Structures are given as structure tokens and as C-alpha cells.
């Protein structure tokens, strides 16, 4: 039994507990059984418990109590020891035999040491002596019920933890990823079952072993680099892709995406998640940690082998021909662009060979498409034997192949490869029991003579190849300007050109003209491009000669002038400086009787300022009919339009001719600029620029491609520069963007 001081402490504690809402909730839900054979005591206790807020039943003796305890579940039994039928000890024995988990508080007048100790040994929580104080009873009941509630919650928590542990093991071992933990030395302390399924390593094979046992040296180094700083407090989660060879398989490799982060002493403590998040967010916390806080590494390894293989296959499909496994058109163009850029930097040459098989259609139609595919595969294998290191062979489609020879010393290198290709394909191909013979026609375009960009080189190599076809197939031919319009495609090009204006296939491109002193874009030259629906982009040299012969040049030139004026007028209105528009005019245009009225009325209609237009005439055009030109050009000059002589130095004009014409600008032909290092050529440039200075004419140097040429021309006093060193001809949207960027830079510099 408790002392009076202990009772008082218990009462004070009970009062504190009763103020707690959880205790009040437990009291309201508790069910109590009062067992006594004195009716007055039963009624008194029931009334008191009801006032306290408990649900109370009564049993008038030991036997009824046993019956009620067997039928109904009670949280607490207030049990008297002295009863006639069954005493309290017998009731407790009954409860113990049947494992009835009801808490017991003895309320009895029997207070001998033996009775009290026996009751407590048999499971009684407390012992209250009759007569009792209500406050003492209330305190004892509250304490016992609270203890019962805590025991119940402890059991539930333990069950939840067991279920959580089972669930955790199930989730970890059923994870599609390998889950692992390493200690601070890098040895495995845990690994789930997925390691065995994916890599063949059982848990016992890894736990206690260093992770170097499953990684190749290169991958080991990458993982170490990725986890560098973990032991210094850097808690940033890391992601890395590594390759792991499965156990017992030296050839297979699986790709994994690892996610790893450090385990610190605070990781598993209360509030560890909040602590970890705080560390991740606060760099100063990282620095505050020392190496003793680092325990190890937790990580997951996701198998991404199928994804990587799919990505590799998709990437291969995007850039390769699946039949021959050669680079396709897209990859070839990419490599050609890079080769051109490299050649410009190093002043080298390259060659593009366009290959078209002869008699392939006969084999394909005779033996079937399956045999045709096998033939193409065999051709690809033979052609690859002709390649040097760094060359690129591509299948463009059908029976067309294209070969890139970067950094050749001259035409002879390309010639040797072409001969080699022709010879290697002369040998017969065995297709099942059939012997097939094919030949090849090869067109060659050399950079920079046959083109200075990707489209030109491919197109001109294609034209050269068709020239070989036209003369009887099998052989090779270098591209030349004379091939552009030949007998085999003349009628076709003429027919397509007549439709091109109506179909909107022509485009105006603009090449900037740069001030040599300020670097500003002060003008653009309008150049026409034909976006042919099947032949791709055609350059002026490929259709202008035929357009001049068929007189279609008048309509094309007028269209170019109108559209160029519309676009440049938009730029002028947009505030991008005082841009000058230079437009090439054909002889047929200027010879037209209505040339001057047509030009002036168009400028008025479009509200294009005449002083911003410069017409370009070739030196040979001037010499053809000087007398008829003088009047027209003076009339145009009087209207405000300026006049330039294009390709100057290639014709036969004299100083007297130049003096008669209202000329503002001389354009030095690119042939004199390209080899400007040569003393003889430099003398010609010197003479032209000196003559222009004497005549007080503006100078524009065409075809400037190197800084050496630029600096030389600037020293001579050449006012304007045009060429690939600054930019090739660009579509209108790209040209205006370049102008806008330079204009804004100038504006920023002045402010």
C-alpha cells in the first residue's frame, strides 16, 4: 500500500494528467466493471464513476463478474476481495486462466499484507482501502487507464513498426533498382536482391567488400570523382551514369544511372529529414560539418541499358542509312560543313564526289529488290575500302553515294580516288548464283573553285556527275561553269524556270558590304537563289546564262529589284541605319526602251529612296554599247540612283570610258583578291585602287576571305569590303538580324 505522501503525489500527478485532452478522451471511452457483494457499495461506486464521465457496469458478486468479464470487454475492474460466492482472488485467477486483459484495481476492506501482496502478484494495478476518498479513487482510475492506454499504443506502434519493417524489406527487395549502402571506406553494408537479378552478385558476395570489386578502373574513377567531398560535408545529391559488367560475363555491359548521397550521423536521428534538407539548402552548414559526421553513402542504381540502347539506335537511325549503315544525307552535310570551316581556317582544299551507279536499275528490275539491296550493301563495302582516314562515304538515297575528301592538296588527289572507285566497282558482284556488273559515274566538285558552301559543292558535284551520264556513263568529271546548262537538262531547266516565278521559287539573298574603317554594314548586295523543288538551291551561275539566252532574265531581274526594294525599305523604316541596296542589272534590262521609266516608277510606287539604290553593271556590258548607255545612266544618276561597275579588272574598259559615265563605285573582282599574297596580283589590286582614288570613286573589294586580305586592302585605302570573311549571302530574315545586331552594338557604343 502507498504512504499518505505517495498518495498525495499521485493525486497531484493525476490532476495534471486529467488536464491533458488525450487523457480526457481515454476516460470518456473507458468501460469499467464494479464488482462487490454489497449493494450500497455498488450503487455508490456506479454513481461516482458516472459523475466522473465513465461508463460503469456492476456485478453483485464473483460469479456474475466472471460471466460479465467473459462476455464483454472492460478496460478496468474495481474488484472487492471479500465476497461470499467467489472472492476477488478467485476472480483474478479466472481472468488469468482465460487471458482476459482487463486492468484490475482492488477496492477492499481487507488490508493484510498477504492479501495485498497476493492481489498485486495476480495482476492488480493498485489497492484502495475501504472506506476511500473519491478523489483518491479518481486519481487511481485515471492513472491506471492512462497506463493501459500507453501500453495499448505501445503495442500498436510495435505492430506498425513490424509491418513497416516487413513492407520496407519487401519494397526495397522488389525495387526495379539496385539499392545499396556503403560505409565510409567504400565497402558494402547493404544491397538488395536486385543486384543478383541484374549483375549476378548475391548479397553475401558483396557485403563487406569494396565497390571496386564490381567496377572497371575507369568507372571506379568516375564514381570516386562524383562522390568527392561527401566526407567534407558536401551533402548534394549526385547523379552519374556508369557501366558495370555482370559477374562472369566479360563481354556484356549494362548501363546504370546512379543516384548517391552521403549518410551522416544526423540522417537517422529525430528530425533527420529536416536536418538533411537544411544541410542541402545551406552551404554554410556543409562547411560546418567535419569528416567525423560522415558515415557512408546511400545510393540507387537504375538499369538504363534498354534506354541507352534505344537512344543509340534512334541516334543511329537519325544519321545513318539502315541498309548500308553508312552516314546519311544529314550526317554527311554536317561533316561537310565542318570540313569547309576547317579548310577556310587552314587555307586548304576539299573535294566532294557524287557517285551514281550505272545499270543498277537493270539489276534491281531483273533480280528483284532483295538482290538490289544486297548489291547496294556490297557496293558500300567495296567503296569503304577506297577511303582514307577522315574521309566520309554517305548514301544519299537509291543508288546515289557521296564521298567527302577533306584536306586534299589538289585536283590530282580527287582524281586518284575517282579512278580507284571506278576500278573497284568494275569487278563483278556475286548475288546468289547470279553475276552482276555495274559501273559508276563520278562528278567532282573541289572547294573553293566549284563552290564555297555545302549546297554549292553537292549541287555542282551532282551536275558534274550528270555530265558524265550524258556522255555515255562510267567515268569521272570535274565541275566547271560550262556544265551548268548542258544539252541533257537545258529544256527541263528552261521549263522549270518559266514556272518558278509563278510558283514563288526564287528568293533574294543579301551579302553585306562592310566599311573597312568602322566595321559597320553600310550596304547589301541582292543576289538571287532558285529554290528548285527537286534540285535544291540553284545558284546564279547554274541558271542565269540560260535565263539571259531565253530573255527570262528581264522578268527575273525585275522581280529581284521589286522584292529587294520592298524588304530593304522595311529595314530602313525600322531604323536600322542608312543601308544601301546594290542590285545587279542584266544587259537585256538596260537595253529595254522603258528601262528608265520602269525603274523610276517602281521606286515611286514602293516609296524607296533613290539615293539608297545602287545598280551594278559589269565592265563588259559597258563596252558593248557605251553610247546608248551614257544617256540612260546619266538620267538615272540625275534621279539620285548611284552606279557601280562590277567585276572591274576583267574587262577592257579605258579611262576615257569611265570618265564619260556617272560612276560612283568600282568593285574589284574577287579573282584579284583571292591570291592577294602573290606580288603580281597585288600589283593589279594596287593599280585599280590607285586609279579609283585618282578618279575619286568609291572602292568595294569582292571575295575577301582572310584577315591577311582584309589588312592589305585597308592599308591601300579600300573603303568597302565584301566576302565570306564577314558573311556569305543570307536570306532576308538572317540578313536583317545581322544588321540589327551590328546597329544595336553601335548604338550601345555611342551611349
Amino acid at each position: 500500500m502507498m504512504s499518505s505522501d505517495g498518495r498525495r503525489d499521485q493525486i497531484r500527478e493525476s490532476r495534471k494528467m486529467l488536464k491533458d485532452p488525450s487523457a480526457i478522451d481515454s476516460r470518456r471511452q473507458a468501460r469499467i466493471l464494479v464488482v462487490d457483494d454489497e449493494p450500497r457499495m455498488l450503487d455508490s461506486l456506479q454513481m461516482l464513476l458516472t459523475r466522473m464521465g465513465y461508463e460503469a457496469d456492476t456485478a453483485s458478486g464473483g460469479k456474475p463478474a466472471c460471466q460479465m468479464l467473459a462476455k464483454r470487454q472492460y478496460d478496468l475492474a474495481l474488484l472487492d476481495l471479500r465476497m461470499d460466492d467467489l472472492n476477488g482472488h478467485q476472480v483474478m485467477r479466472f481472468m488469468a486462466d482465460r487471458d482476459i486483459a482487463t486492468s484490475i484495481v482492488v477496492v477492499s476492506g481487507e488490508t493484510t499484507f498477504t492479501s495485498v501482496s497476493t492481489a498485486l502478484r495476480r495482476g492488480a494495478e493498485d489497492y484502495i482501502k475501504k472506506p476511500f476518498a473519491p478523489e483518491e479513487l479518481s486519481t487511481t482510475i485515471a492513472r491506471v487507464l492512462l497506463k493501459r492506454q500507453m501500453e495499448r499504443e505501445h503495442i500498436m506502434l510495435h505492430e506498425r513498426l513490424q509491418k513497416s519493417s516487413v513492407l520496407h524489406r519487401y519494397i526495397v527487395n522488389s525495387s526495379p533498382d539496385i539499392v545499396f549502402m556503403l560505409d565510409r571506406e567504400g565497402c558494402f553494408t547493404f544491397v538488395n536482391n536486385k543486384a543478383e537479378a541484374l549483375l549476378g552478385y548475391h548479397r553475401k558476395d558483396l557485403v563487406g567488400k569494396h565497390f571496386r570489386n564490381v567496377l572497371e578502373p575507369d568507372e571506379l574513377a568516375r564514381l570516386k570523382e562524383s562522390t568527392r567531398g561527401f566526407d567534407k560535408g558536401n551533402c548534394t545529391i549526385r547523379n552519374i551514369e556508369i557501366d558495370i559488367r555482370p559477374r562472369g560475363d566479360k563481354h556484356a555491359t549494362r548501363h546504370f544511372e546512379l543516384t548517391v548521397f552521403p549518410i551522416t550521423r544526423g540522417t537517422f536521428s529525430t528530425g533527420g529529414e529536416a536536418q538533411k534538407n537544411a544541410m542541402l539548402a545551406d552551404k554554410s552548414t556543409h562547411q560546418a560539418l567535419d569528416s567525423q559526421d560522415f558515415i557512408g553513402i546511400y545510393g540507387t542504381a537504375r538499369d538504363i541499358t534498354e534506354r541507352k540502347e534505344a537512344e543509340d539506335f534512334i541516334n543511329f537511325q537519325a544519321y545513318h542509312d539502315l541498309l548500308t549503315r553508312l552516314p546519311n544525307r544529314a550526317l554527311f552535310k554536317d561533316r561537310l560543313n565542318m570540313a569547309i570551316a576547317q579548310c577556310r581556317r587552314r587555307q586548304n582544299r576539299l573535294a566532294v564526289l557524287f557517285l551514281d551507279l550505272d545499270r543498277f536499275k537493270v539489276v534491281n528490275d531483273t533480280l528483284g529488290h532483295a538482290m538490289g539491296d544486297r548489291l547496294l550493301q556490297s557496293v558500300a563495302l567495296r567503296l569503304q575500302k577506297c577511303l582514307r582516314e577522315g574521309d566520309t562515304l554517305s548514301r544519299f538515297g537509291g543508288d546515289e553515294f557521296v564521298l567527302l575528301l577533306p584536306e586534299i592538296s589538289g585536283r590530282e588527289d580527287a582524281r586518284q580516288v575517282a579512278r580507284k572507285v571506278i576500278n573497284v566497282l568494275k569487278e563483278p558482284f556475286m548475288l546468289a548464283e547470279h553475276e552482276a556488273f555495274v559501273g559508276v559515274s563520278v562528278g567532282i566538285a573541289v572547294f573553293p573553285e566549284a563552290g564555297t558552301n555545302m549546297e554549292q559543292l553537292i549541287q555542282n558535284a551532282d551536275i558534274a556527275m550528270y555530265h558524265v551520264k550524258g556522255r555515255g556513263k562510267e567515268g569521272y568529271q570535274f565541275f566547271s561553269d560550262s556544265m551548268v546548262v548542258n544539252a541533257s537538262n537545258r529544256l527541263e531547266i528552261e521549263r522549270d524556270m518559266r514556272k518558278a516565278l509563278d510558283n514563288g521559287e526564287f528568293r533574294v539573298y543579301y551579302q553585306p558590304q562592310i566599311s573597312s574603317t568602322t566595321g559597320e554594314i553600310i550596304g547589301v548586295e541582292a543576289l538571287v537563289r532558285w529554290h528548285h523543288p527537286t534540285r535544291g538551291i540553284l545558284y546564279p551561275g547554274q541558271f542565269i546564262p540560260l535565263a539571259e539566252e531565253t530573255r527570262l532574265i528581264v522578268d527575273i531581274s525585275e522581280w529581284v529589284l521589286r522584292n529587294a526594294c520592298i524588304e530593304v525599305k522595311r529595314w530602313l523604316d525600322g531604323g536600322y541605319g542608312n543601308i544601301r541596296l546594290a542590285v545587279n542589272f542584266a544587259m537585256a534590262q538596260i537595253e529595254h526602251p522603258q528601262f528608265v521609266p520602269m525603274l523610276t516608277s517602281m521606286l515611286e510606287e514602293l516609296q524607296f529612296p533613290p539615293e539608297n539604290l545602287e545598280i551594278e553593271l559589269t565592265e563588259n556590258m559597258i563596252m558593248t554599247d557605251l553610247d546608248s548607255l551614257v544617256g540612260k545612266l546619266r538620267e538615272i544618276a540625275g534621279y539620285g540612283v548611284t552606279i557601280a561597275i562590277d567585276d572591274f579588272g576583267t574587262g577592257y574598259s579605258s579611262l576615257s570610258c569611265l570618265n564619260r559615265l556617272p560612276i560612283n563605285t568600282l568593285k574589284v573582282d574577287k579573282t584579284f583578291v583571292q591570291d592577294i599574297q602573290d606580288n603580281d596580283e597585288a600589283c593589279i589590286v594596287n593599280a585599280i585602287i590607285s586609279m579609283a582614288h585618282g578618279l575619286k570613286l568609291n572602292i568595294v573589294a569582292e571575295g575577301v576571305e582572310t584577315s591577311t586580305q582584309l589588312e592589305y586592302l585597308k592599308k591601300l585605302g579600300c573603303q568597302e569590303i565584301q566576302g565570306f570573311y564577314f558573311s556569305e549571302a543570307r536570306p532576308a530574315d538572317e540578313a536583317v538580324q545581322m544588321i540589327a545586331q551590328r546597329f544595336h552594338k553601335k548604338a550601345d557604343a555611342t551611349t
Side-chain angles (χ1 to χ4, degrees):
M1 296 178 60
M2 289 188 182
S3 65
S4 59
D5 290 339
R7 287 292 182 186
R8 282 194 297 270
D9 292 340
Q10 192 181 68
I11 290 169
R12 282 194 297 271
E13 188 65 27
S14 176
R15 286 173 179 168
K16 293 179 182 177
M17 290 188 295
L18 290 175
K19 292 179 181 178
D20 179 58
S22 63
I24 294 173
D25 292 342
S26 301
R27 181 188 65 191
R28 288 174 179 171
Q29 296 173 2
R31 183 178 297 161
I32 300 175
L33 177 64
V34 182
V35 184
D36 205 308
D37 57 359
E38 295 181 15
R40 289 174 58 192
M41 181 58 69
L42 285 178
D43 294 341
S44 175
L45 283 171
Q46 186 179 34
M47 185 181 300
L48 182 60
L49 292 172
T50 302
R51 287 178 182 175
M52 293 178 184
Y54 298 114
E55 180 184 347
D57 294 338
T58 60
S60 57
K63 287 185 178 180
C66 291
Q67 293 173 353
M68 295 177 72
L69 287 166
K71 291 181 180 179
R72 192 173 185 183
Q73 184 176 354
Y74 291 93
D75 297 294
L76 176 63
L78 300 179
L79 181 62
D80 186 17
L81 293 181
R82 291 179 181 176
M83 292 180 291
D84 293 336
D85 52 354
L86 288 176
N87 62 33
H89 296 292
Q90 291 173 316
V91 173
M92 283 190 282
R93 189 181 299 115
F94 173 85
M95 294 172 66
D97 292 341
R98 288 162 178 75
D99 200 20
I100 296 174
T102 300
S103 298
I104 300 170
V105 173
V106 174
V107 182
S108 178
E110 187 174 340
T111 60
T112 64
F113 177 79
T114 302
S115 297
V116 173
S117 62
T118 301
L120 294 176
R121 283 198 308 271
R122 287 178 175 170
E125 298 287 343
D126 211 335
Y127 197 107
I128 299 175
K129 179 184 176 182
K130 291 180 183 179
F132 55 84
E135 192 173 31
E136 179 188 6
L137 178 67
S138 174
T139 300
T140 302
I141 291 174
R143 180 182 59 78
V144 172
L145 289 177
L146 184 59
K147 178 184 177 185
R148 178 181 178 84
Q149 179 184 349
M150 293 175 65
E151 289 174 346
R152 186 182 299 140
E153 289 176 353
H154 175 74
I155 292 171
M156 292 174 61
L157 180 60
H158 181 69
E159 290 176 349
R160 284 201 299 269
L161 286 173
Q162 282 188 320
K163 290 180 180 178
S164 176
S165 178
V166 172
L167 181 61
H168 172 74
R169 286 196 299 271
Y170 173 76
I171 291 173
V172 170
N173 284 319
S174 300
S175 170
D177 305 333
I178 296 175
V179 181
F180 63 92
M181 294 175 67
L182 306 173
D183 62 18
R184 59 183 296 127
E185 277 72 40
C187 295
F188 286 97
T189 58
F190 171 81
V191 65
N192 68 345
N193 295 338
K194 204 65 179 178
E196 183 175 9
L198 293 177
L199 297 173
Y201 290 99
H202 193 270
R203 185 182 288 111
K204 65 179 179 6
D205 300 324
L206 295 177
V207 173
K209 304 290 180 60
H210 197 276
F211 62 80
R212 71 169 65 92
N213 292 297
V214 299
L215 294 179
E216 296 293 327
D218 291 345
E219 303 300 318
L220 177 64
R222 294 180 63 235
L223 182 56
K224 284 183 176 179
E225 180 64 27
S226 178
T227 57
R228 185 186 299 275
F230 276 178
D231 59 344
K232 299 296 188 295
N234 191 335
C235 296
T236 307
I237 295 175
R238 312 284 176 82
N239 292 291
I240 180 176
E241 291 186 6
I242 65 172
D243 297 338
I244 304 178
R245 293 189 186 278
R247 187 179 189 183
D249 193 338
K250 296 182 179 180
H251 304 290
T253 299
R254 302 198 72 82
H255 307 282
F256 288 89
E257 183 179 64
L258 264 63
T259 301
V260 292
F261 62 85
I263 305 171
T264 62
R265 295 188 186 282
T267 303
F268 301 110
S269 63
T270 303
E273 186 64 27
Q275 180 181 356
K276 183 180 74 175
N277 292 336
M279 288 191 295
L280 291 175
D282 187 0
K283 292 183 179 179
S284 63
T285 304
H286 295 174
Q287 297 169 355
L289 294 172
D290 59 38
S291 60
Q292 297 303 315
D293 292 308
F294 175 67
I295 297 175
I297 294 174
Y298 172 84
T300 61
R302 172 158 296 182
D303 187 355
I304 57 171
T305 304
E306 291 185 3
R307 190 190 82 190
K308 293 286 288 185
E309 290 175 350
E311 289 174 355
D312 291 343
F313 181 68
I314 291 171
N315 185 65
F316 186 85
Q317 280 186 311
Y319 293 103
H320 291 80
D321 169 56
L322 294 183
L323 177 63
T324 62
R325 308 187 75 80
L326 294 175
N328 63 8
R329 188 185 299 256
L331 181 55
F332 180 86
K333 288 183 175 180
D334 184 63
R335 291 185 180 177
L336 177 55
N337 270 328
M338 289 192 294
I340 291 173
Q342 193 171 27
C343 281
R344 284 176 177 161
R345 286 195 302 270
R346 300 181 180 180
Q347 297 295 300
N348 288 334
R349 292 182 172 185
L350 63 81
V352 173
L353 280 64
F354 205 105
L355 285 58
D356 188 89
L357 299 182
D358 301 327
R359 297 181 294 278
F360 172 76
K361 189 175 185 301
V362 175
V363 175
N364 203 45
D365 293 345
T366 304
L367 303 180
H369 294 292
M371 289 298 177
D373 289 346
R374 287 179 58 180
L375 175 59
L376 291 173
Q377 291 171 336
S378 299
V379 167
L381 290 174
R382 288 194 189 180
L383 290 176
Q384 285 177 300
K385 295 178 181 178
C386 302
L387 303 184
R388 308 169 304 166
E389 185 178 359
D391 295 346
T392 297
L393 176 65
S394 168
R395 183 188 177 208
F396 261 37
D399 59 347
E400 294 179 340
F401 297 84
V402 182
L403 178 57
L404 166 63
L405 306 178
E407 298 189 15
I408 60 172
S409 58
R411 291 162 62 103
E412 188 58 33
D413 290 348
R415 191 191 315 275
Q416 290 179 7
V417 173
R419 289 171 176 168
K420 197 172 184 180
V421 165
I422 293 169
N423 290 332
V424 80
L425 295 184
K426 279 183 178 179
E427 298 297 323
F429 291 87
M430 293 306 301
L431 305 175
E433 68 277 8
H434 302 284
E435 192 176 51
F437 291 87
V438 296
V440 63
S441 299
V442 183
I444 308 170
V446 177
F447 172 90
E449 296 92 331
T452 55
N453 58 45
M454 176 191 68
E455 291 87 355
Q456 285 180 329
L457 290 168
I458 295 175
Q459 182 69 38
N460 291 342
D462 188 19
I463 291 172
M465 182 273 296
Y466 274 106
H467 185 79
V468 177
K469 292 276 190 185
R471 72 184 186 200
K473 301 181 181 182
E474 194 165 81
Y476 68 90
Q477 180 66 54
F478 286 90
F479 171 82
S480 65
D481 291 336
S482 62
M483 297 179 183
V484 176
V485 182
N486 52 44
S488 63
N489 57 16
R490 178 188 177 94
L491 294 177
E492 182 179 353
I493 291 180
E494 181 180 350
R495 180 198 64 206
D496 292 346
M497 193 163 29
R498 293 184 182 278
K499 298 177 182 177
L501 279 171
D502 295 334
N503 295 340
E505 294 171 13
F506 289 111
R507 302 281 190 280
V508 181
Y509 281 45
Y510 301 89
Q511 187 172 38
Q513 296 171 333
I514 313 294
S515 169
S516 62
T517 56
T518 66
E520 297 174 29
I521 298 178
I522 58 177
V524 291
E525 181 180 2
L527 300 167
V528 66
R529 300 289 186 266
W530 182 3
H531 286 240
H532 195 282
T534 58
R535 296 174 181 267
I537 298 178
L538 300 181
Y539 292 81
Q542 297 172 261
F543 62 91
I544 290 298
L546 182 59
E548 290 176 337
E549 290 181 25
T550 57
R551 307 290 292 183
L552 288 172
I553 190 64
V554 175
D555 294 334
I556 294 174
S557 297
E558 185 175 343
W559 180 90
V560 170
L561 175 63
R562 174 176 291 275
N563 282 272
C565 286
I566 291 172
E567 289 175 334
V568 175
K569 177 66 163 57
R570 193 178 301 125
W571 304 349
L572 294 172
D573 293 342
Y576 295 125
N578 194 27
I579 300 297
R580 181 187 66 227
L581 170 64
V583 182
N584 293 281
F585 277 66
M587 190 64 191
Q589 275 181 292
I590 298 175
E591 288 176 342
H592 196 285
Q594 297 299 314
F595 168 66
V596 176
M598 179 277 296
L599 177 62
T600 56
S601 62
M602 181 185 294
L603 295 179
E604 291 173 0
E605 174 193 347
L606 301 177
Q607 297 182 355
F608 190 91
E611 62 272 15
N612 287 89
L613 177 65
E614 184 174 82
I615 65 172
E616 294 187 1
L617 310 173
T618 65
E619 192 175 7
N620 290 332
M621 288 169 57
I622 295 173
M623 296 304 299
T624 301
D625 192 0
L626 180 62
D627 293 333
S628 64
L629 277 178
V630 171
K632 292 181 180 180
L633 295 182
R634 286 178 177 173
E635 188 175 355
I636 292 172
Y639 189 67
V641 176
T642 58
I643 300 167
I645 303 299
D646 195 14
D647 300 336
F648 188 78
T650 61
Y652 305 96
S653 60
S654 63
L655 289 177
S656 60
C657 295
L658 296 179
N659 277 326
R660 292 178 59 188
L661 296 171
I663 298 170
N664 302 88
T665 303
L666 289 183
K667 298 190 71 175
V668 182
D669 189 71
K670 62 182 180 181
T671 57
F672 302 123
V673 174
Q674 285 177 349
D675 294 322
I676 208 165
Q677 294 86 350
D678 189 322
N679 290 330
D680 293 335
E681 298 298 325
C683 288
I684 295 176
V685 173
N686 293 346
I688 294 174
I689 293 177
S690 296
M691 180 184 66
H693 286 163
L695 295 172
K696 295 182 172 50
L697 298 177
N698 185 41
I699 299 291
V700 179
E702 295 180 293
V704 178
E705 298 182 358
T706 67
S707 59
T708 302
Q709 295 168 354
L710 174 63
E711 293 303 320
Y712 187 90
L713 292 166
K714 288 170 67 174
K715 288 179 182 178
L716 291 177
C718 179
Q719 295 98 328
E720 296 179 30
I721 306 297
Q722 182 178 341
F724 287 137
Y725 182 82
F726 294 98
S727 173
E728 60 187 4
R730 298 170 180 258
D733 55 345
E734 295 181 20
V736 73
Q737 184 178 6
M738 181 171 58
I739 292 170
Q741 289 174 349
R742 294 210 174 207
F743 181 80
H744 291 316
K745 280 185 180 179
K746 178 187 175 185
D748 292 340
T750 56
T751 57

